[in-house]
Amino acid sequence: MKPLEVHCRNRVLFVKMSIEDKGMGMRDYHLYDKNGLSFYVFRKSQGEWELAYGVLADDVREACIDALILRYDHDSPELFYKDGKRNVVRISAKKGGIWHVYVNTTYVASIQYDEYAKKFEYYLEAEIPLTVEHIEKYIGMIQRGEIKWVRER
């Protein structure tokens, strides 16, 4: 398996890893120390990633979680930090050319494709960490096929 690329402390670490399928959609992600003997278990539980086994410095733990989110959360095109808080963007495709945008499980925006005008429109909640530039970037990702699109049949 390809190593996990972790950016931490102004360095890039390539961490050996394996995935253990626990059934019912649950997976454990085992990350191994450079000596190959120590390992750490990360798990996604109820939409939140956590270090389930092992002890790591806070910054290393958070960098590993960031790398896991970017690699394995397929509905998450981006994560960013604002005021020291991780904001994970998730985009959920719906029927009829509609996408709902969530930040940390909170609905913040919607994007809709107008079939007649052949253009995208959006609605953005007030007082949220996303900007119009974020939404325009996601529209571009939808147009390029980087974010899934549920087509009517």
Side-chain angles (χ1 to χ4, degrees):
M1 174 175 284
K2 183 178 162 186
L4 184 68
E5 187 176 319
V6 179
H7 297 263
C8 184
R9 299 180 183 171
N10 295 322
R11 295 176 45 198
V12 177
L13 308 170
F14 294 95
V15 180
K16 182 181 173 193
M17 67 173 294
S18 64
I19 300 173
E20 180 183 353
D21 194 354
K22 306 289 259 182
M24 302 290 289
M26 205 167 146
R27 290 185 177 157
D28 281 351
Y29 299 83
H30 297 249
L31 276 57
Y32 298 91
D33 201 353
K34 63 182 174 185
N35 63 19
L37 301 175
S38 301
F39 70 95
Y40 309 91
V41 178
F42 288 85
R43 184 177 296 142
K44 183 178 179 184
S45 175
Q46 297 178 347
E48 296 291 323
W49 286 87
E50 64 181 353
L51 175 59
Y53 177 82
V55 177
L56 287 170
D58 291 346
D59 61 338
V60 175
R61 180 189 68 231
E62 294 304 311
C64 289
I65 290 173
D66 288 351
L68 288 165
I69 289 169
L70 290 172
R71 184 160 171 186
Y72 292 105
D73 269 0
H74 302 293
D75 291 337
S76 297
E78 177 177 47
L79 72 85
F80 61 93
Y81 283 83
K82 183 169 182 170
D83 300 327
K85 181 181 179 196
R86 177 188 299 126
N87 291 285
V88 179
V89 177
R90 296 191 202 304
I91 299 179
S92 176
K94 308 293 183 190
K95 288 185 178 180
I98 298 173
W99 294 263
H100 289 175
V101 182
Y102 301 86
V103 174
N104 298 336
T105 69
T106 302
Y107 170 83
V108 296
S110 65
I111 300 170
Q112 183 170 1
Y113 182 71
D114 185 339
E115 286 280 333
Y116 300 107
K118 302 289 186 205
K119 68 176 189 170
F120 286 89
E121 299 170 348
Y122 62 87
Y123 166 76
L124 188 61
E125 293 275 338
E127 305 292 323
I128 60 167
L130 286 184
T131 63
V132 171
E133 289 78 22
H134 285 106
I135 297 298
E136 289 172 352
K137 178 168 64 170
Y138 305 146
I139 289 171
M141 293 172 81
I142 292 167
Q143 291 172 323
R144 291 188 301 274
E146 296 170 16
I147 295 175
K148 65 184 172 185
W149 182 313
V150 177
R151 301 272 185 188
E152 300 287 332
R153 296 207 188 265

